[in-house]
Amino acid sequence: MTDHPPGGEPSELVELARRAATAYDRPDLEKRLGVVSRAVADDRARVLVVGEFKAGKTELVNAVIGGRALPTDAHRATTVPTMCAHGEQPAVVLVRGVEGGVEQQQISPTDLAEHVTERGNPDNRAGWSHAEATLPRPVLEGLRLVDTPGAGGLASPSAVSTMAELPGADAVLVVADGGRELTAPELALTRTAAAVSPTVAVVLTRIDLHPHWRRIADIDRGHLDRAGGERSDGTGGSSLRAVRIFPTSSALALHAAEDDDLPPDTARELAAESGIEEVRRLLVREVAEGRQARRIRMVADEVIVACEQFATAFRAERDALADPQRAQRIAAEVERSRAQAASLRDRAARWQQTLNDGVGDLVSDIEYDLRDRLRAVVADAEVALDDTDPAKTWEQFAPWLHQQVSAGVSTNVVWAEERTRWLAERVATHFAEDGAGVLPPVTVAASPDGTGLAADPVSMLAAPDHEKFGVSQSLMIGMRGSYGGVLMIGMLTTIAGMALLNPFSIGAGLLLGSKTLVDERKRALRRRQAEAKQAVRRHVDDVTFQAGKNSRDMLREVQRTLRDHFTTTAEELERSLAATADAARAVEADDAKRTARLADVEAELERVEHLADRARRLRGRAGSGSSRSSRLVGA
């Protein structure tokens, strides 16, 4: 036990439990513990910093880490998400997805602005998916801060990308300017984040520039409290009431951190007045340590479950060796428990029915929600097309439609993630209730987020082939309409002795030609509008088809993951009980051999119980603070 794995005591416990599983011939438990060992390898919490354009997100990240590491500009916004993590030496890597993998390019930290801001990469024309910056900042130990581009409303492309990342975030900081109250898009973004992320906070920036920031904070508090009674999915909830507001001044914090001429007391006062220390305390003590505590609890629970299965067989063998007369009775009791565990793998088990029915209901509900959202988009698009000429406004209309469709699909995905978590908890509850008295504590496998299950991408909305209406065509239509007028009026005027071509016939021809031209223009406009509406419907149908397939694939993957997880748990328990029954029956008739075996069993049982006690003590310490937190908060 002198060599500790890199992950500390949690990783050490998992490795000890894996060795025990190998020694006790339990490859099923060794495989499960191997998955746990890989899951706890990275204990860094992921924090998304989101908000509108020029709200002060990048400056807030710099203030939190205690220095100007990321580029800021008064006029140029961030275009590429930038993740800040701890490292021994400053370094920056640009990442871009390519066919068959990813492409990485290492650059100098001084050149970061040329790649992640509008100065050198407007609209992210380079196509970088994100940048990874490693910095030797103590506060980043255990954290990954992600500075995102401006949202610009939930319908913007940047906001759609941000919403897709929300389910995987340990915390979300919604950044808003302290000079104005929260806007409707900011409230919608906060509501969406609170539905899927365990920690959400609103950070008001630039309070040093706005003396009325306290009134703004009170107004924002009222907005959040009122919005907390109604969730984004229409159900009641209080998630937004728990969202905290942090008034901050990044300029004061950076001034206190970077001005070496300031007296230490003044620097501390400025840092405290800036409000950044409260944000650091949230990230370090609650977010980073919260993730670490969850990681420790997961490790401890898995080790305790494994130890309980090891110990069950040893206890039964010990009792049978101590009293051979009880061996058959012990074996019979274990067989009854084994039959109960085996029933959990039956297709008629309640948790199986709950899972199958729940996935079926989710497929129907999520598909209906997607179709309902996209039908509303189509209705809005048709209203917009009725008021415009698609041939003139298509360049503005197509991006707007893409944004609306993307926003609807992203909201549907977030809602699906929330519903699948609820289903997983319900299945776990029924599984535990059906196995009461037999099952050890049950942990729920995390549901997949659908990554890698996407169907073929939907092509961009193509402009319909509108009929050309040039000068020559207008002239021909006018002449065709005027011909009838000239001929009709000219024939009537010849009765009065006038020529065929006279002022009356020519005037009538001009009048009828103009009317024909106007009517033809209206018919052509209606044709263009109808063709544009058909193009919109075809595009939305393609999106509905592909997004629906993605949702069904994700839910089927959830179903398989939960089914395999709980079936494996039942099989592990059934195997443990089978080994227990065999150990209870295999009682040596020879007293000397039985005594020697009893001593060995007692020793093994003591080792297993010692490992379980270590896991319980570690779990008990998971919620306690540490001196390291105080050091990082003050860094």
Side-chain angles (χ1 to χ4, degrees):
M1 295 186 182
T2 56
D3 296 332
H4 294 273
E9 189 173 2
S11 296
E12 180 189 358
L13 283 178
V14 174
E15 290 304 316
L16 288 175
R18 290 183 66 184
R19 295 175 196 167
T22 302
Y24 300 146
D25 193 22
R26 291 299 305 272
D28 52 339
L29 291 179
E30 196 279 333
K31 181 179 179 181
R32 176 170 174 171
L33 292 168
V35 174
V36 175
S37 179
R38 291 189 294 272
V40 301
D42 185 5
D43 62 346
R44 295 176 296 174
R46 191 163 179 266
V47 181
L48 292 183
V49 182
V50 303
E52 299 286 345
F53 286 102
K54 309 310 295 180
K57 299 183 296 297
T58 305
E59 196 173 23
L60 174 67
V61 173
N62 287 335
V64 169
I65 64 180
R68 300 181 188 274
L70 302 185
T72 58
D73 191 284
H75 306 289
R76 299 180 178 92
T78 301
T79 58
V80 177
T82 306
M83 183 189 71
C84 299
H86 183 267
E88 296 299 329
Q89 297 295 331
V92 175
V93 176
L94 300 173
V95 181
R96 172 168 50 201
V98 295
E99 185 177 356
V102 295
E103 174 188 348
Q104 295 185 350
Q105 177 181 336
Q106 188 164 0
I107 63 172
S108 171
T110 57
D111 297 334
L112 184 60
E114 299 296 329
H115 299 274
V116 301
T117 68
E118 291 179 334
R119 187 173 77 184
N121 187 17
D123 299 326
N124 191 18
R125 294 174 183 172
W128 299 113
S129 60
H130 68 278
E132 299 177 0
T134 56
L135 303 165
R137 304 284 182 172
V139 72
L140 289 175
E141 294 181 18
L143 288 174
R144 285 179 293 180
L145 282 177
V146 182
D147 177 31
T148 63
L154 281 183
S156 71
S158 298
V160 170
S161 301
T162 299
M163 289 176 64
E165 298 295 326
L166 290 178
D170 295 284
V172 178
L173 300 182
V174 181
V175 181
D177 194 295
R180 56 164 176 78
E181 57 187 283
L182 289 173
T183 63
E186 287 171 339
L187 280 173
L189 182 59
T190 306
R191 183 186 297 111
T192 304
V196 295
S197 181
T199 302
V200 178
V202 173
V203 180
L204 300 182
T205 59
R206 302 172 183 142
I207 62 173
D208 54 309
L209 301 179
H210 307 293
H212 57 284
W213 64 266
R214 292 178 179 84
R215 185 169 64 87
I216 296 297
D218 292 338
I219 294 174
D220 291 343
R221 181 74 270 164
H223 287 325
L224 292 172
D225 290 342
R226 285 189 295 273
E230 188 71 17
R231 294 274 294 279
S232 59
D233 57 2
T235 61
S238 59
S239 57
L240 291 186
R241 295 194 180 105
V243 173
R244 284 167 286 180
I245 298 177
F246 294 91
T248 64
S249 171
S250 301
L252 285 180
L254 290 171
H255 179 56
E258 296 178 340
D259 194 342
D260 296 332
D261 296 332
L262 286 177
D265 292 340
T266 304
R268 283 193 294 270
E269 291 176 1
L270 287 177
E273 189 176 352
S274 70
I276 294 297
E277 289 187 356
E278 293 294 327
V279 178
R280 286 193 190 129
R281 190 172 293 111
L282 168 74
L283 297 179
V284 173
R285 292 188 177 178
E286 295 188 26
V287 178
E289 288 199 349
R291 178 181 175 88
Q292 185 180 19
R294 292 191 296 271
R295 167 179 171 262
I296 290 175
R297 286 195 294 270
M298 179 187 69
V299 169
D301 288 341
E302 293 290 348
V303 172
I304 291 171
V305 167
C307 289
E308 182 64 27
Q309 296 198 39
F310 298 150
T312 300
F314 287 128
R315 291 194 191 103
E317 186 176 4
R318 178 194 61 188
D319 294 342
L321 289 170
D323 186 2
Q325 303 299 324
R326 295 178 53 201
Q328 294 301 320
R329 186 168 68 252
I330 293 173
E333 293 175 355
V334 173
E335 284 294 341
R336 284 193 293 271
S337 297
R338 182 184 177 186
Q340 182 180 354
S343 66
L344 292 174
R345 296 191 293 109
D346 194 285
R347 290 183 179 272
R350 187 169 61 138
W351 73 269
Q352 292 262 30
Q353 296 177 355
T354 301
L355 177 59
N356 295 333
D357 294 344
V359 169
D361 293 341
L362 280 184
V363 169
S364 176
D365 292 346
I366 292 171
E367 185 173 356
Y368 174 82
D369 178 78
L370 176 65
R371 289 182 177 275
D372 183 61
R373 293 180 190 278
L374 295 184
R375 282 179 61 189
V377 172
V378 171
D380 293 341
E382 291 183 347
V383 170
L385 290 172
D386 285 335
D387 298 332
T388 60
D389 184 353
K392 298 178 181 179
T393 62
W394 192 260
E395 291 184 358
Q396 294 79 31
F397 174 79
W400 172 84
L401 181 68
H402 285 302
Q403 293 171 5
Q404 296 298 318
V405 170
S406 299
V409 173
S410 298
T411 305
N412 177 261
V413 169
V414 171
W415 186 65
E417 170 76 16
E418 189 177 0
R419 289 291 303 274
T420 53
R421 291 183 182 181
W422 171 83
L423 176 62
E425 293 173 358
R426 189 179 178 196
V427 171
T429 300
H430 288 177
F431 184 82
E433 290 174 352
D434 293 344
V438 179
L439 286 173
V442 177
T443 56
V444 184
S447 60
D449 58 7
T451 303
L453 299 175
D456 296 334
V458 178
S459 59
M460 299 293 287
L461 177 63
D465 188 13
H466 298 303
E467 179 184 358
K468 303 299 182 182
F469 210 83
V471 176
S472 60
Q473 188 175 7
S474 300
L475 182 61
M476 292 298 296
I477 292 173
M479 291 177 63
R480 187 171 63 245
S482 64
Y483 173 78
V486 170
L487 185 62
M488 179 178 62
I489 301 300
M491 293 294 293
L492 291 176
T493 56
T494 55
I495 299 176
M498 300 176 69
L500 182 65
L501 294 177
N502 59 73
F504 294 103
S505 63
I506 293 174
L510 292 175
L511 181 64
L512 290 179
S514 299
K515 185 178 184 304
T516 302
L517 181 60
V518 170
D519 292 343
E520 185 62 27
R521 287 183 181 275
K522 289 181 179 179
R523 284 193 292 271
L525 174 60
R526 288 195 292 270
R527 282 196 300 271
R528 290 195 296 271
Q529 290 173 338
E531 291 170 355
K533 291 178 182 179
Q534 287 294 331
V536 168
R537 295 191 190 102
R538 287 194 298 269
H539 178 72
V540 172
D541 284 344
D542 289 343
V543 172
T544 303
F545 176 76
Q546 298 291 4
K549 182 182 185 305
N550 291 349
S551 296
R552 289 190 294 273
D553 288 346
M554 184 269 290
L555 291 172
R556 295 304 180 191
E557 183 66 20
V558 169
Q559 183 180 23
R560 285 189 292 269
T561 300
L562 293 175
R563 181 197 62 203
D564 294 345
H565 173 76
F566 290 113
T567 300
T568 301
T569 301
E571 290 174 350
E572 290 171 356
L573 181 62
E574 187 179 1
R575 179 167 180 172
S576 296
L577 292 172
T580 301
D582 294 340
R585 293 191 187 96
V587 178
E588 294 286 349
D590 186 89
D591 291 341
K593 292 182 179 179
R594 189 168 63 246
T595 301
R597 178 57 184 166
L598 180 60
D600 293 339
V601 169
E602 291 281 6
E604 294 296 336
L605 187 59
E606 183 178 355
R607 294 189 184 96
V608 171
E609 291 178 346
H610 175 70
L611 181 60
D613 287 341
R614 285 187 58 184
R616 294 188 190 96
R617 289 195 299 269
L618 180 65
R619 198 184 197 285
R621 297 195 304 268
S624 61
S626 65
S627 58
R628 173 179 173 273
S629 300
S630 302
R631 176 174 61 84
L632 293 181
V633 169

